[in-house]
Coordinates of all heavy atoms in Angstrom, one line a residue:
V51 N 17.2 3.3 6.7 CA 16.7 4.4 7.5 C 15.7 3.9 8.5 O 14.8 3.2 8.2 CB 15.9 5.4 6.5 CG1 15.3 6.6 7.3 CG2 16.9 6.0 5.4
A52 N 15.9 4.4 9.8 CA 15.0 4.0 10.8 C 13.6 4.8 10.7 O 13.7 6.0 10.7 CB 15.6 4.2 12.2
L53 N 12.5 4.1 10.6 CA 11.3 4.8 10.5 C 10.1 3.9 10.8 O 9.8 2.9 10.2 CB 11.1 5.3 9.0 CG 9.8 6.0 8.7 CD1 9.6 7.3 9.5 CD2 9.6 6.3 7.2
D54 N 9.4 4.4 11.9 CA 8.0 3.9 12.1 C 7.1 4.9 11.6 O 7.1 6.1 12.1 CB 7.9 3.7 13.6 CG 6.5 3.1 14.0 OD1 5.5 3.4 13.3 OD2 6.4 2.3 15.0
I55 N 6.2 4.6 10.7 CA 5.4 5.6 10.0 C 4.3 6.1 10.9 O 3.7 7.1 10.5 CB 4.9 5.1 8.6 CG1 3.8 4.0 8.8 CG2 5.9 4.8 7.7 CD1 3.1 3.7 7.5
T56 N 4.1 5.6 12.0 CA 3.1 6.1 13.0 C 3.7 7.0 14.0 O 3.0 7.5 14.9 CB 2.4 4.9 13.8 OG1 3.4 4.3 14.6 CG2 1.7 3.9 12.8
D57 N 5.0 7.4 13.8 CA 5.7 8.3 14.7 C 5.9 9.6 14.0 O 6.8 9.7 13.2 CB 7.0 7.7 15.2 CG 7.9 8.6 16.0 OD1 7.5 9.8 16.1 OD2 8.9 8.1 16.6
P58 N 5.0 10.6 14.2 CA 5.1 11.9 13.4 C 6.4 12.6 13.5 O 6.8 13.1 12.5 CB 3.9 12.7 14.0 CG 3.1 11.8 14.8 CD 3.9 10.6 15.2
E59 N 7.0 12.6 14.7 CA 8.3 13.3 14.8 C 9.4 12.6 14.0 O 10.2 13.3 13.3 CB 8.8 13.3 16.3 CG 8.0 14.3 17.1 CD 8.4 14.3 18.5 OE1 9.4 13.8 18.9 OE2 7.6 14.8 19.3
R60 N 9.4 11.3 14.0 CA 10.3 10.6 13.1 C 10.1 10.8 11.7 O 11.0 10.9 10.8 CB 10.3 9.1 13.6 CG 11.3 8.2 12.9 CD 12.7 8.5 13.4 NE 13.7 8.1 12.4 CZ 14.9 8.7 12.2 NH1 15.3 9.7 12.9 NH2 15.7 8.2 11.2
V61 N 8.8 10.8 11.3 CA 8.5 11.0 9.9 C 9.0 12.4 9.4 O 9.6 12.5 8.4 CB 6.9 10.9 9.7 CG1 6.5 11.4 8.3 CG2 6.4 9.5 9.9
A62 N 8.8 13.4 10.3 CA 9.2 14.7 9.9 C 10.7 14.8 9.8 O 11.3 15.4 8.9 CB 8.7 15.7 10.9
R63 N 11.4 14.1 10.7 CA 12.9 14.1 10.7 C 13.4 13.4 9.4 O 14.3 13.9 8.8 CB 13.4 13.4 11.9 CG 14.9 13.3 12.0 CD 15.4 12.6 13.2 NE 15.4 13.5 14.3 CZ 16.5 14.1 14.8 NH1 17.6 14.0 14.2 NH2 16.4 14.9 15.8
V64 N 12.8 12.3 9.1 CA 13.3 11.5 7.9 C 13.0 12.3 6.6 O 13.8 12.4 5.7 CB 12.5 10.2 7.8 CG1 12.7 9.5 6.4 CG2 13.1 9.2 8.9
A65 N 11.9 13.1 6.6 CA 11.7 14.0 5.4 C 12.7 15.1 5.4 O 13.1 15.4 4.3 CB 10.3 14.6 5.5
R66 N 13.2 15.5 6.5 CA 14.3 16.5 6.5 C 15.6 15.9 6.1 O 16.4 16.5 5.3 CB 14.5 17.2 7.9 CG 13.4 18.2 8.2 CD 13.8 19.1 9.4 NE 14.1 18.3 10.6 CZ 13.2 17.9 11.5 NH1 11.9 18.3 11.3 NH2 13.5 17.2 12.6
E67 N 15.9 14.7 6.6 CA 17.2 14.0 6.3 C 17.3 13.5 4.9 O 18.3 13.4 4.3 CB 17.4 12.9 7.3 CG 17.7 13.4 8.8 CD 17.7 12.3 9.8 OE1 17.4 11.1 9.5 OE2 18.1 12.6 10.9
C68 N 16.1 13.1 4.3 CA 16.1 12.5 3.0 C 15.5 13.6 2.0 O 14.5 13.3 1.3 CB 15.3 11.2 3.0 SG 16.0 10.0 4.1
A69 N 16.0 14.7 2.0 CA 15.4 15.8 1.3 C 15.6 15.8 -0.2 O 15.2 16.7 -0.9 CB 15.9 17.2 1.8
D70 N 16.3 14.7 -0.7 CA 16.6 14.6 -2.1 C 15.6 13.6 -2.7 O 15.7 13.2 -3.9 CB 18.0 14.1 -2.4 CG 18.4 12.9 -1.5 OD1 17.6 12.5 -0.6 OD2 19.5 12.4 -1.8
V71 N 14.6 13.1 -1.9 CA 13.7 12.0 -2.5 C 12.8 12.6 -3.6 O 12.3 13.7 -3.5 CB 12.9 11.5 -1.4 CG1 11.6 10.7 -1.9 CG2 13.6 10.6 -0.4
T72 N 12.7 11.9 -4.7 CA 11.9 12.2 -5.8 C 10.8 11.2 -6.1 O 9.8 11.4 -6.8 CB 12.7 12.4 -7.1 OG1 13.3 11.2 -7.4 CG2 13.7 13.5 -7.0
L73 N 10.9 10.0 -5.4 CA 9.9 9.0 -5.5 C 9.7 8.3 -4.1 O 10.5 7.7 -3.6 CB 10.4 7.9 -6.5 CG 9.7 6.6 -6.7 CD1 8.2 6.9 -7.1 CD2 10.3 5.7 -7.7
L74 N 8.5 8.5 -3.7 CA 8.0 8.0 -2.4 C 7.2 6.7 -2.6 O 6.1 6.8 -3.2 CB 7.3 9.0 -1.5 CG 6.6 8.5 -0.3 CD1 7.7 8.1 0.8 CD2 5.8 9.6 0.3
V75 N 7.6 5.6 -2.0 CA 6.9 4.4 -2.1 C 6.3 4.0 -0.8 O 7.0 3.6 0.2 CB 7.7 3.2 -2.7 CG1 6.8 2.0 -2.8 CG2 8.3 3.6 -4.0
N76 N 5.0 4.3 -0.6 CA 4.3 4.0 0.7 C 3.8 2.5 0.7 O 2.8 2.2 0.2 CB 3.1 4.9 0.9 CG 3.5 6.3 1.3 OD1 4.4 6.5 2.1 ND2 3.0 7.3 0.6
N77 N 4.7 1.7 1.2 CA 4.4 0.2 1.1 C 4.1 -0.3 2.5 O 3.3 -1.3 2.6 CB 5.7 -0.5 0.6 CG 5.7 -2.0 1.0 OD1 5.0 -2.7 0.3 ND2 6.4 -2.3 2.0
A78 N 4.6 0.2 3.6 CA 4.4 -0.3 4.9 C 2.9 -0.5 5.2 O 2.1 0.4 4.9 CB 5.0 0.6 6.0
G79 N 2.5 -1.6 5.8 CA 1.1 -1.9 6.1 C 1.0 -3.0 7.1 O 2.0 -3.8 7.4
V80 N -0.2 -3.1 7.7 CA -0.4 -4.1 8.7 C -1.8 -4.7 8.5 O -2.8 -4.0 8.1 CB -0.3 -3.6 10.1 CG1 -1.2 -2.5 10.5 CG2 -0.3 -4.7 11.2
M81 N -2.0 -6.0 8.6 CA -3.3 -6.7 8.5 C -3.5 -7.7 9.6 O -2.7 -8.5 9.8 CB -3.3 -7.4 7.1 CG -4.6 -7.9 6.7 SD -5.1 -9.4 7.4 CE -4.0 -10.6 6.6
K82 N -4.5 -7.5 10.4 CA -4.8 -8.3 11.6 C -5.9 -9.3 11.4 O -6.2 -10.0 12.4 CB -5.1 -7.4 12.8 CG -4.1 -6.3 13.1 CD -2.7 -6.8 13.4 CE -2.6 -7.4 14.8 NZ -1.2 -7.9 15.1
A83 N -6.4 -9.4 10.2 CA -7.5 -10.4 9.9 C -8.6 -10.4 11.0 O -9.1 -11.4 11.5 CB -6.9 -11.8 9.9
S84 N -9.0 -9.2 11.3 CA -10.0 -9.0 12.3 C -11.4 -8.6 11.8 O -11.5 -7.7 10.9 CB -9.4 -7.8 13.2 OG -10.3 -7.6 14.3
P85 N -12.4 -9.2 12.4 CA -13.8 -8.8 12.0 C -14.2 -7.5 12.7 O -13.6 -7.1 13.6 CB -14.6 -10.0 12.5 CG -13.8 -10.6 13.6 CD -12.4 -10.3 13.4
F86 N -15.4 -7.0 12.2 CA -15.9 -5.8 12.9 C -16.6 -6.1 14.2 O -16.3 -5.5 15.2 CB -16.9 -5.1 11.9 CG -16.3 -4.5 10.7 CD1 -16.6 -4.8 9.5 CD2 -15.3 -3.5 10.9 CE1 -16.1 -4.2 8.3 CE2 -14.7 -2.8 9.8 CZ -15.1 -3.3 8.5
I87 N -17.5 -7.0 14.1 CA -18.4 -7.3 15.3 C -17.8 -8.4 16.2 O -17.8 -8.3 17.4 CB -19.8 -7.9 14.8 CG1 -20.4 -6.9 13.8 CG2 -20.7 -8.1 16.0 CD1 -20.6 -5.5 14.3
G88 N -17.1 -9.4 15.6 CA -16.6 -10.5 16.4 C -15.3 -10.2 17.1 O -14.8 -11.0 17.9
A89 N -14.6 -9.1 16.8 CA -13.3 -8.8 17.4 C -13.5 -8.5 18.9 O -14.6 -7.9 19.3 CB -12.7 -7.6 16.7
P90 N -12.6 -8.9 19.7 CA -12.7 -8.6 21.1 C -12.7 -7.2 21.6 O -13.2 -6.8 22.6 CB -11.5 -9.4 21.8 CG -10.5 -9.6 20.7 CD -11.3 -9.6 19.4
S91 N -12.0 -6.3 20.8 CA -11.9 -4.9 21.0 C -11.7 -4.2 19.7 O -11.6 -4.8 18.7 CB -10.7 -4.7 22.0 OG -9.5 -4.8 21.3
L92 N -11.5 -2.8 19.8 CA -11.2 -2.0 18.6 C -9.7 -2.0 18.3 O -9.3 -1.3 17.3 CB -11.7 -0.7 18.8 CG -13.2 -0.4 19.0 CD1 -13.6 1.1 19.1 CD2 -14.0 -1.0 17.8
D93 N -8.9 -2.7 19.1 CA -7.4 -2.6 18.9 C -6.9 -2.9 17.5 O -6.1 -2.1 17.0 CB -6.7 -3.5 19.9 CG -6.9 -3.1 21.4 OD1 -7.5 -2.0 21.6 OD2 -6.5 -3.8 22.3
A94 N -7.4 -4.0 16.9 CA -6.9 -4.3 15.6 C -7.3 -3.2 14.5 O -6.5 -2.8 13.7 CB -7.4 -5.7 15.2
A95 N -8.6 -2.8 14.6 CA -9.1 -1.8 13.7 C -8.3 -0.5 13.8 O -8.0 0.1 12.8 CB -10.6 -1.7 13.9
R96 N -8.1 -0.2 15.1 CA -7.3 1.1 15.3 C -5.9 1.0 14.8 O -5.4 1.9 14.1 CB -7.3 1.5 16.8 CG -8.6 2.0 17.3 CD -8.3 2.7 18.7 NE -9.5 2.8 19.5 CZ -10.4 3.7 19.3 NH1 -10.2 4.6 18.3 NH2 -11.5 3.7 20.0
L97 N -5.3 -0.1 15.0 CA -3.9 -0.3 14.5 C -3.8 -0.2 13.0 O -2.9 0.5 12.4 CB -3.3 -1.6 15.0 CG -1.9 -1.9 14.5 CD1 -0.9 -0.9 15.1 CD2 -1.4 -3.3 14.9
E98 N -4.7 -0.9 12.3 CA -4.8 -0.9 10.9 C -5.0 0.5 10.3 O -4.3 0.9 9.4 CB -5.8 -1.9 10.4 CG -5.4 -3.3 10.6 CD -6.6 -4.3 10.5 OE1 -7.7 -3.9 10.7 OE2 -6.3 -5.5 10.2
M99 N -5.9 1.2 10.9 CA -6.1 2.6 10.5 C -4.9 3.5 10.8 O -4.5 4.3 10.0 CB -7.3 3.3 11.3 CG -8.6 3.1 10.7 SD -8.8 3.7 9.0 CE -10.4 3.1 8.6
E100 N -4.3 3.3 12.0 CA -3.1 4.1 12.4 C -2.0 3.9 11.4 O -1.3 4.8 11.0 CB -2.7 3.6 13.8 CG -1.8 4.7 14.6 CD -2.5 6.0 14.7 OE1 -3.7 6.1 15.1 OE2 -1.9 7.0 14.4
V101 N -1.7 2.7 11.0 CA -0.6 2.4 10.1 C -1.0 2.7 8.6 O -0.4 3.5 7.9 CB -0.1 0.9 10.2 CG1 1.0 0.7 9.2 CG2 0.4 0.6 11.7
N102 N -2.0 2.0 8.2 CA -2.3 2.0 6.7 C -2.9 3.3 6.3 O -2.5 3.8 5.2 CB -3.4 0.9 6.4 CG -2.8 -0.5 6.8 OD1 -1.6 -0.7 7.0 ND2 -3.7 -1.5 6.9
Y103 N -3.7 4.0 7.1 CA -4.3 5.3 6.7 C -3.5 6.5 7.2 O -2.9 7.2 6.5 CB -5.8 5.4 7.2 CG -6.3 6.7 6.9 CD1 -6.5 7.2 5.6 CD2 -6.7 7.6 7.9 CE1 -7.0 8.4 5.3 CE2 -7.2 8.9 7.7 CZ -7.4 9.3 6.4 OH -7.8 10.5 6.1
F104 N -3.4 6.6 8.6 CA -2.8 7.8 9.1 C -1.3 7.8 8.8 O -0.7 8.8 8.6 CB -3.1 7.9 10.6 CG -4.5 8.3 10.9 CD1 -5.4 7.4 11.5 CD2 -4.8 9.6 10.6 CE1 -6.7 7.9 11.7 CE2 -6.1 10.0 10.9 CZ -7.1 9.2 11.5
G105 N -0.6 6.6 8.9 CA 0.8 6.5 8.6 C 1.1 7.0 7.2 O 2.0 7.7 6.9
T106 N 0.3 6.5 6.2 CA 0.5 6.8 4.8 C 0.2 8.3 4.6 O 1.0 9.0 3.9 CB -0.4 5.9 3.9 OG1 -0.1 4.6 4.2 CG2 -0.2 6.3 2.4
L107 N -0.9 8.8 5.2 CA -1.2 10.2 5.1 C -0.1 11.1 5.6 O 0.3 12.1 5.1 CB -2.5 10.5 5.9 CG -2.9 11.9 6.0 CD1 -3.1 12.6 4.6 CD2 -4.3 12.0 6.7
S108 N 0.4 10.7 6.8 CA 1.6 11.4 7.4 C 2.8 11.5 6.5 O 3.4 12.5 6.3 CB 1.9 10.7 8.7 OG 2.9 11.2 9.4
M109 N 3.1 10.3 5.8 CA 4.2 10.3 4.9 C 4.0 11.2 3.7 O 4.9 12.0 3.2 CB 4.4 8.9 4.4 CG 5.0 7.9 5.4 SD 6.7 8.5 6.0 CE 7.6 8.1 4.5
C110 N 2.8 11.2 3.1 CA 2.4 12.0 2.0 C 2.6 13.5 2.4 O 3.1 14.3 1.6 CB 1.0 11.8 1.5 SG 0.8 10.2 0.7
R111 N 2.1 13.9 3.6 CA 2.2 15.3 4.0 C 3.6 15.7 4.2 O 4.0 16.8 3.8 CB 1.3 15.5 5.3 CG -0.1 15.4 5.1 CD -0.9 15.3 6.4 NE -0.6 16.3 7.4 CZ -1.1 17.5 7.4 NH1 -2.1 17.8 6.6 NH2 -0.7 18.4 8.3
A112 N 4.4 14.9 4.8 CA 5.8 15.2 5.1 C 6.6 15.3 3.8 O 7.5 16.2 3.7 CB 6.4 14.2 6.0
F113 N 6.3 14.4 2.9 CA 7.2 14.4 1.7 C 6.7 15.3 0.5 O 7.4 15.5 -0.5 CB 7.4 13.0 1.2 CG 8.6 12.3 1.9 CD1 8.4 11.7 3.1 CD2 9.9 12.4 1.5 CE1 9.4 11.1 3.9 CE2 10.9 11.9 2.2 CZ 10.7 11.2 3.4
A114 N 5.4 15.8 0.6 CA 4.9 16.7 -0.4 C 5.9 17.8 -0.8 O 6.2 18.1 -2.0 CB 3.5 17.1 -0.2
P115 N 6.3 18.6 0.2 CA 7.3 19.7 -0.1 C 8.6 19.2 -0.6 O 9.2 19.9 -1.5 CB 7.4 20.4 1.2 CG 6.8 19.7 2.3 CD 5.9 18.6 1.6
V116 N 9.0 18.1 -0.2 CA 10.3 17.5 -0.7 C 10.2 17.2 -2.2 O 11.0 17.5 -3.0 CB 10.6 16.2 0.1 CG1 11.9 15.5 -0.6 CG2 11.0 16.5 1.5
L117 N 9.0 16.6 -2.6 CA 8.8 16.2 -4.0 C 8.6 17.4 -4.8 O 9.2 17.5 -5.9 CB 7.6 15.3 -4.1 CG 7.7 13.9 -3.4 CD1 6.3 13.2 -3.4 CD2 8.7 13.0 -4.1
A118 N 7.9 18.5 -4.2 CA 7.8 19.7 -5.0 C 9.1 20.4 -5.3 O 9.4 20.8 -6.4 CB 6.9 20.7 -4.2
A119 N 10.0 20.4 -4.3 CA 11.3 20.9 -4.4 C 12.1 20.3 -5.5 O 13.0 20.9 -6.2 CB 12.1 21.0 -3.1
G120 N 11.9 19.0 -5.7 CA 12.6 18.2 -6.7 C 11.9 18.2 -8.0 O 12.3 17.5 -9.0
G121 N 10.9 19.0 -8.2 CA 10.2 19.1 -9.5 C 9.0 18.4 -9.7 O 8.4 18.4 -10.8
G122 N 8.5 17.8 -8.6 CA 7.2 17.0 -8.8 C 7.3 15.6 -8.3 O 6.7 15.2 -7.3
G123 N 8.0 14.8 -9.0 CA 8.3 13.4 -8.6 C 7.0 12.6 -8.6 O 6.0 12.9 -9.3
A124 N 7.0 11.5 -7.8 CA 5.9 10.6 -7.7 C 5.7 10.0 -6.4 O 6.7 9.8 -5.6 CB 6.1 9.5 -8.8
I125 N 4.5 9.6 -6.1 CA 4.2 8.8 -4.9 C 3.5 7.5 -5.4 O 2.6 7.6 -6.2 CB 3.2 9.5 -4.0 CG1 3.8 10.8 -3.4 CG2 2.7 8.6 -2.8 CD1 2.9 11.7 -2.6
V126 N 4.0 6.4 -4.9 CA 3.3 5.1 -5.1 C 2.7 4.7 -3.8 O 3.4 4.5 -2.8 CB 4.3 4.0 -5.6 CG1 3.7 2.6 -5.6 CG2 4.9 4.4 -6.9
N127 N 1.4 4.5 -3.8 CA 0.7 4.0 -2.6 C 0.3 2.6 -2.8 O -0.4 2.2 -3.7 CB -0.5 4.8 -2.2 CG -0.1 6.2 -1.6 OD1 1.0 6.3 -1.2 ND2 -1.1 7.0 -1.4
M128 N 0.8 1.6 -1.9 CA 0.5 0.2 -2.1 C -0.9 -0.1 -1.4 O -1.0 -0.1 -0.2 CB 1.6 -0.6 -1.4 CG 1.4 -2.1 -1.7 SD 1.3 -2.4 -3.5 CE 0.1 -3.7 -3.6
L129 N -1.9 -0.2 -2.2 CA -3.2 -0.5 -1.8 C -3.6 -2.0 -1.8 O -2.6 -2.8 -1.6 CB -4.2 0.4 -2.5 CG -3.9 1.9 -2.6 CD1 -4.8 2.7 -3.5 CD2 -4.0 2.5 -1.2
S130 N -4.8 -2.3 -2.1 CA -5.2 -3.7 -2.1 C -6.4 -3.8 -2.9 O -7.2 -2.8 -3.2 CB -5.5 -4.1 -0.7 OG -6.1 -5.3 -0.6
V131 N -6.8 -5.1 -3.3 CA -8.1 -5.3 -3.9 C -9.2 -5.0 -2.9 O -10.3 -4.5 -3.2 CB -8.3 -6.7 -4.4 CG1 -8.3 -7.7 -3.2 CG2 -9.5 -6.9 -5.2
T132 N -8.9 -5.1 -1.5 CA -9.8 -4.7 -0.4 C -10.0 -3.2 -0.3 O -10.8 -2.8 0.5 CB -9.4 -5.4 0.9 OG1 -8.2 -4.8 1.3 CG2 -9.2 -6.9 0.8
S133 N -9.3 -2.4 -1.1 CA -9.6 -1.0 -1.1 C -11.0 -0.8 -1.8 O -11.6 0.2 -1.7 CB -8.5 -0.2 -1.9 OG -7.3 -0.3 -1.3
F134 N -11.4 -1.8 -2.7 CA -12.6 -1.7 -3.4 C -13.8 -2.4 -2.8 O -14.9 -2.1 -3.1 CB -12.4 -2.4 -4.8 CG -11.3 -1.8 -5.7 CD1 -10.4 -2.6 -6.4 CD2 -11.3 -0.4 -5.9 CE1 -9.5 -2.0 -7.2 CE2 -10.4 0.2 -6.8 CZ -9.4 -0.6 -7.4

Side-chain angles (χ1 to χ4, degrees):
V51 173
L53 178 63
D54 181 329
I55 64 168
T56 64
D57 177 346
E59 284 178 18
R60 187 68 203 146
V61 168
R63 176 180 283 261
V64 167
R66 283 197 300 276
E67 289 174 353
C68 303
D70 52 352
V71 166
T72 58
L73 172 58
L74 171 64
V75 182
N76 285 313
N77 163 77
V80 64
M81 192 280 287
K82 304 300 284 183
S84 183
F86 290 121
I87 306 300
S91 72
L92 295 183
D93 291 355
R96 283 195 201 283
L97 176 67
E98 288 162 336
M99 273 301 171
E100 201 58 50
V101 176
N102 302 343
Y103 174 67
F104 287 109
T106 302
L107 176 56
S108 178
M109 288 296 291
C110 290
R111 287 167 55 88
F113 276 89
V116 172
L117 296 171
I125 297 174
V126 171
N127 282 351
M128 189 57 219
L129 304 173
S130 168
V131 69
T132 66
S133 300
F134 296 135

